[in-house]
């Protein structure tokens, strides 16, 4: 299995792994990724991260005071 592009030992990595596990729990119970249930899980996940899903993208688009920035995940195109 290839290594993950994030560290599960960090708070961020643990949050990503948690989201994936929640969605896989849906898949195991229904056999697929039920759209409504995935939206509910994703909305709850954002809420736990104090992201207002009804708010604007600016709340996460720009660095906030004290925010530690990490490199973007995925392949980098130069």
């Amino acid at each position: 299995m290839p290594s993950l592009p994030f560290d599960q030992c960090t708070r961020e990595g643990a949050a990503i792994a948690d989201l994936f596990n929640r969605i896989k729990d849906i898949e195991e119970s229904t056999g697929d990724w039920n759209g409504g249930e995935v939206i509910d899980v994703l909305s709850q996940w954002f809420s736990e991260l104090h992201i207002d899903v009804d708010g604007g993208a600016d709340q996460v688009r720009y660095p906030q005071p004290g925010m530690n920035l990490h490199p973007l995940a995925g392949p980098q195109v130069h």
Side-chain angles (χ1 to χ4, degrees), residues 28-74:
E28 288 177 8
S29 69
T30 65
D32 61 5
W33 288 25
N34 176 287
E37 289 183 54
V38 169
I39 297 279
D40 290 343
V41 165
L42 187 56
S43 295
Q44 177 65 35
W45 188 72
F46 282 135
S47 176
E48 291 167 7
L49 295 173
H50 305 285
I51 297 171
D52 179 3
V53 295
D54 295 319
D58 286 350
Q59 64 184 316
V60 295
R61 184 174 292 142
Y62 303 106
Q64 303 298 312
M67 193 180 221
N68 293 323
L69 299 179
H70 300 280
L72 296 174

Side-chain angles (χ1 to χ4, degrees), residues 1 4 6 8 12-30 32-33 37-38 41-42 45 48:
M1 176 173 17
L4 297 172
F6 61 89
Q8 294 182 54
E12 296 88 349
I16 293 167
D18 177 60
L19 174 61
F20 181 75
N21 285 322
R22 292 182 198 192
I23 292 172
K24 292 304 278 185
D25 287 345
I26 293 169
E27 181 182 50
E28 288 177 8
S29 69
T30 65
D32 61 5
W33 288 25
E37 289 183 54
V38 169
V41 165
L42 187 56
W45 188 72
E48 291 167 7

